[in-house]
Amino acid sequence: MAVVFERPKSLKETKFHYCPGCHHGIIHRLVAEVIDELKLQEKTIAILPVGCAVLGYEYFDVDCIEAAHGRAPAVATGVKRCRPETFVFTYQGDGDLASIGTAEIIHAAARGENISVIYVNNAIYGMTGGQMAPTTLLGQKTTTSPQGRKAELTGYPLRVCEMLATLQGVTYLERTSVHDPKHVRKTKKAIKEAFQVQLAGKGFALVEVLSACPTNWRMSPERALDFVKNQMINYYPLGVFKSLEEVE
Amino acid sequence: MSKVLMKGNEAIGEAAIKAGCRYFFGYPITPQSELPEYLSWRLPEVGGVFLQAESEVAAINMVYGAAATGVRVMTSSSSPGISLKQEGISYLAGAELPCLIINIMRGGPGLGGIQPSQSDYFQATKGGGHGDYRLIVLAPASVQEIADLVKKGFDLADHYRMPALLLGDGMLGQMMEPVDFGTETSGDKFDHAWATTGKQGREHTNIINSLYLKPEELEAHNRRLEKKYLEIMKQETMAEQYLTEDAEVVIAAYGMTARITKAAVDMARREGIKAGVFRPITLWPFPQRELNEATQKAQVVLTVEMSLGQMVEDVQLALKGRLPVEFYGRVGGMVPTAEEVLNEVKKIVKRYQEAM
Ligand SMILES: Cc1ncc(C[n+]2csc(CCOP(=O)(O)OP(=O)(O)O)c2C)c(N)n1
Ligand code: SF4
């Protein structure tokens, strides 16, 4: 019997702990598939965040470093500067990257560090039980914005791709989503593109993936897909914000 | 090798290079900036990397990443910057990563001042960051000792797989003295099989981590660290004794303050007072046994620090009430003079005269 679908080599045989309908699992798989396809497993060092993906080192079958909350881009910088021959990526949530770790991500990008960043934006703090994130949409209810996020009190959601696009050090920026198969395929393509930027020594690349957190959004997995499609993409438009051709 | 005349801060940089360190991440702050400035041209010369980070928080996390790959790496700062590094230091300790951290202390709290101080003793030796962890803390008192202790610090860090901290003050950083860097070494002789370098054919993945969600596992991890710390307390204490054999007053002081107290002891001896100096070189582990040996003939111990009294607590703990412990401190960047210390010694002698 021919095998038509199997576990990517770069994923261990450990069951994900993610909630039903969570997109972290899909995104892990895409990252692992790209690592396999580009034959990077033996030279990859993954930097994991503090957030729901903190246990990534139990899933990715590559060398892994668990970073402090938000500091993954600085850790990745240390790794890549000492071992330029390795392939280094960070995997970070929106609380990790866009709140506590804004300084680290902006300066890694501005320096044009030759690293790849997978930025998983689910507009909420998943791991700590659904508090407001800097990416939480206006009106969105969280455990720390029970009446819905109000601009007068907490300002406006942060658009990371748009912000980083202003930096000269950045080579590749794309925002994608995984709410349907078509967009899953597009996301994989974007991740591959980003990884190839690093392999070519062309500098900083980031893929922002809009992602569902049905548990803390208090939605069924199905309704969560609708929220991504109809609410999140509205505020966070998909697309390529910067690419290699533009830079060259 | 012959001696060269060098500033303390620059000697730290050169000693690191001689110890095989090729990576430095830091953020500017007075009074240690000569060190990153020196390394910014010297490291590229030897094929290394100097990177000025966006903050001390980023710098220590770059160190965390670099150390994870098994290379010798260093960062440096002064008091307020070291406060910012505490999160990363705790992670380095938790993940058992070796590195050398330099703190050229200035006065605090808050922004404080830029003049010499020893007010970060607690922070260095009692934690600073969160969690049950220790740092190996080395306190040089001359430019030559800087060179020796930088090398020693890297070796201890590699041997025990933990961060080491060199604690100096602005005076030590700024002063020029002749120094011999000795032979070049490296970290190559230490086992780095644990390092994250990419699997490179390995069956298992290497993981650098400090997260243990199961309490049984975290306790076991803490116990493993404890075992290491107890071993260090037994094996690695260092101290210098100056005229302590017959001393009735022993002054306990570290770093530059110890040098000042030596001058005070010389003056006291000329006046017939039997005084001596006990200088801890490792602040953690604190040389408890050595202090007790050095105070066999003593009636009283005087601790002198550029702080409101921090190391004095370790002196008391070490003596366990066997001797009275007096304290004299200057703060805020004020440096005690030998005359001041001599005065203190005389006052104490008067107070304890009967016993002497
Ligand atoms: C210094 C520090 N502050 C706060 C926390 C608590 N904390 C853990 S995860 C997290 C937010 C995670 O949210 P996000 O990055 O969006 O990832 P997600 O869990 O949604 O995937 C916070 C605040 C921490 N671990 N460390
Ligand atoms: S809490 Fe949210 S982000 Fe975390 S695993 Fe569950 S669904 Fe995913």
Side-chain angles (χ1 to χ4, degrees), chain A residues 1-212:
Chain A
M1 209 166 60
V3 178
V4 292
F5 190 76
E6 62 183 338
R7 180 188 298 277
K9 252 176 52 202
S10 297
L11 278 186
K12 290 178 179 167
E13 285 187 34
T14 317
K15 260 197 187 158
F16 290 144
H17 70 284
Y18 300 116
C19 308
C22 175
H23 288 170
H24 272 305
I26 299 174
I27 301 164
H28 280 23
R29 185 184 167 94
L30 295 180
V31 169
E33 284 179 1
V34 174
I35 291 175
D36 285 1
E37 285 167 25
L38 296 175
K39 300 195 167 46
L40 298 175
Q41 187 182 15
E42 298 298 314
K43 62 179 224 172
T44 294
I45 302 172
I47 321 290
L48 283 317
V50 174
C52 278
V54 67
L55 294 178
Y57 55 79
E58 292 191 355
Y59 308 138
F60 289 112
D61 196 353
V62 300
D63 277 5
C64 291
I65 302 174
E66 206 326 274
H69 198 19
R71 318 297 179 216
V75 175
T77 298
V79 172
K80 190 71 181 181
R81 294 284 178 137
C82 297
R83 305 260 180 196
E85 73 285 1
T86 58
F87 175 77
V88 181
F89 77 92
T90 73
Y91 184 106
Q92 305 177 255
D94 48 305
D96 195 78
L97 182 143
S99 189
I100 197 166
T102 40
E104 285 76 13
I105 194 66
I106 286 177
H107 287 279
R111 286 192 302 268
E113 289 297 337
N114 197 30
I115 58 170
S116 317
V117 175
I118 306 298
Y119 166 42
V120 180
N121 179 0
N122 60 14
I124 205 157
Y125 284 7
M127 191 193 207
T128 41
Q131 296 82 8
M132 193 189 73
T135 43
T136 295
L137 298 179
L138 290 182
Q140 192 182 334
K141 284 185 180 162
T142 71
T143 58
T144 51
S145 60
Q147 259 79 60
R149 180 173 183 176
K150 291 189 180 68
E152 311 86 81
L153 188 64
T154 54
Y156 298 88
L158 213 69
R159 293 188 179 103
V160 168
C161 281
E162 286 81 344
M163 198 168 72
L164 294 184
T166 64
L167 299 176
Q168 233 178 319
V170 175
T171 304
Y172 188 80
L173 278 177
E174 181 166 354
R175 184 182 291 124
T176 67
S177 166
V178 288
H179 69 276
D180 64 21
K182 185 180 124 211
H183 285 91
V184 169
R185 280 194 296 275
K186 273 190 118 168
T187 299
K188 181 169 169 184
K189 212 171 136 257
I191 293 172
K192 200 167 199 172
E193 191 76 33
F195 283 12
Q196 278 166 330
V197 166
Q198 181 181 160
L199 294 175
K202 300 283 188 188
F204 185 90
L206 177 146
V207 179
E208 172 175 347
V209 187
L210 301 183
S211 175

Side-chain angles (χ1 to χ4, degrees), chain B residues 52-63:
Chain B
Q52 182 168 319
E54 62 270 30
S55 69
E56 289 86 352
V57 175
I60 194 73
N61 281 285
M62 290 172 187
V63 167

